[in-house]
Amino acid sequence: MRIDIITVLPDLLESPFNHSILKRAKEKGLLEVNLVNLREFSSSKQKQVDDYQYGGGAGMVMMCEPISNCIEHLKKERSYDDIIYMTPDGDVMNQKMMNTFSLKKNIIILCGHYKGIDERIRQLYITKEISIGDYVLSGGELAAAIFVDAVGRLLPGVLSDETSALFDSFQDDLLSPPVYTRPETFKELKVPEVLLSGHEKKINEWRHEQAIERTRTRRPDLLDE
Ligand code: ADE
C-alpha cells in the first residue's frame, strides 16, 4: 500500500512511521509513506498556501490552487483509490473503516490547517472525510499519523503473528479481555486460575466472557450495534 500525505508540516511526520511495526512494514515493502510538502505547489513567491476567508471572520483558509496542483501532480503518476481529508467534521474513524482501507492500494491523505480547506477542493477531489474524534486538533497531521498506524498494522504480513490483529479490540465489536504476564502474583494480586490451567477451551471461554463483560460495562453502545 502506498500513502501520499499532503501537508504543510512534513517534518512533523518524519518520525511516526520510522519505529516498530510501521518501520518493519516499510522495510518489508508492504507500506510506502510519501510526505508531500504542499508549499512546493504554491505558485506565489512567498509559497503562500492560505488566505483570508470570503465573508470575513477570523482564521485563514487553505487555498484551492496549491492543493489542486499537488493532487493533479500525484494523479499523473498513479491512480488513487481514495483522497482523504482529515477533518473534525468527517466520519469518525473506527476499526471497520480501517479494515476496509487496509485493502486499498494507493491513497492520498490531505492534512488541513487553520480554518480548513476551500470547500471547492472538497467538492472536486475529496472522496472521504475522516475525523479521529469529537475534538479539534491544530492540524490534520497527527490524525493522519493515527490513520496510517491503524491501517498499516492490518496489512497482510505486517504483524509477525498474522492472526493477532483478528483478536484486537473492536474486530468483533468487543473490547479485548484482560491480559497478564509473569509474575503469577504481584502485590498480592493473582493471575486468574483458568489462565494457568493449560485448558485451551476453558481459557477461550473465559476470555470471551471477559470481553463481553468489559464491553457491557465500558462500551454498551458496541453491543447495541
Ligand atoms: N483536524 C483537526 N481536528 C481533527 C480531528 N478531530 N480529526 C481529524 N482531523 C482533524
Side-chain angles (χ1 to χ4, degrees):
M1 176 181 220
R2 177 187 167 109
I3 304 179
D4 288 275
I5 304 180
I6 304 173
T7 168
V8 288
L9 297 174
D11 291 350
L12 181 59
L13 288 173
E14 278 302 336
S15 172
F17 313 123
N18 290 326
H19 303 275
S20 183
I21 289 169
L22 292 192
K23 182 181 179 197
R24 208 182 328 134
K26 282 168 67 181
E27 285 168 355
K28 284 185 178 174
L30 300 168
L31 174 67
E32 189 180 349
V33 182
N34 179 40
L35 302 176
V36 187
N37 188 346
L38 181 64
R39 283 191 201 283
E40 288 174 10
F41 295 87
S42 166
S43 55
S44 80
K45 247 199 197 135
Q46 306 76 21
K47 299 292 168 206
Q48 184 182 359
V49 293
D50 59 331
D51 208 341
Y52 296 103
Q53 50 176 317
Y54 279 115
M60 308 291 271
V61 173
M62 289 172 76
M63 300 155 69
C64 288
E65 191 228 46
I67 298 174
S68 172
N69 288 348
C70 182
I71 292 176
E72 295 292 349
H73 169 81
L74 291 171
K75 280 168 71 170
K76 267 193 211 128
E77 294 295 315
R78 60 187 59 75
S79 64
Y80 287 90
D81 300 303
D82 264 304
I83 303 182
I84 300 169
Y85 174 46
M86 302 308 298
T87 173
D89 55 13
D91 295 336
V92 178
M93 223 170 101
N94 60 34
Q95 193 64 34
K96 277 195 191 77
M97 198 193 275
M98 296 305 102
N99 291 343
T100 307
F101 276 109
S102 72
L103 302 174
K104 311 240 166 171
K105 198 159 166 268
N106 300 316
I107 56 180
I108 292 175
I109 304 178
L110 172 62
C111 304
H113 265 266
Y114 324 110
K115 270 277 168 205
I117 61 174
D118 191 300
E119 186 66 19
R120 291 164 291 184
I121 290 294
R122 296 168 89 149
Q123 291 169 334
L124 288 170
Y125 294 108
I126 301 300
T127 58
K128 183 88 182 164
E129 304 192 330
I130 298 180
S131 163
I132 61 160
D134 292 340
Y135 40 83
V136 179
L137 305 167
S138 56
E141 282 75 12
L142 296 179
I146 286 169
F147 176 93
V148 174
D149 188 297
V151 168
R153 61 190 291 285
L154 294 177
L155 300 175
V158 168
L159 293 183
S160 43
D161 177 358
E162 273 240 32
T163 57
S164 68
L166 297 176
F167 298 105
D168 284 344
S169 276
F170 304 113
Q171 282 298 13
D172 47 9
D173 281 331
L174 290 178
L175 301 183
S176 291
V179 292
Y180 298 85
T181 184
R182 288 187 292 179
E184 251 180 68
T185 305
F186 181 69
K187 294 187 191 281
E188 294 177 17
L189 293 176
K190 283 189 179 344
V191 173
E193 204 66 47
V194 61
L195 297 179
L196 310 173
S197 69
H199 196 303
E200 198 181 328
K201 186 161 173 277
K202 279 197 181 137
I203 292 172
N204 287 339
E205 280 168 6
W206 180 86
R207 285 184 171 148
H208 189 61
E209 282 160 18
Q210 292 288 317
I212 291 174
E213 183 54 17
R214 192 155 268 202
T215 310
R216 196 183 60 74
T217 52
R218 297 180 185 200
R219 291 292 305 276
D221 55 301
L222 293 175
L223 292 176
D224 295 343
E225 281 168 20

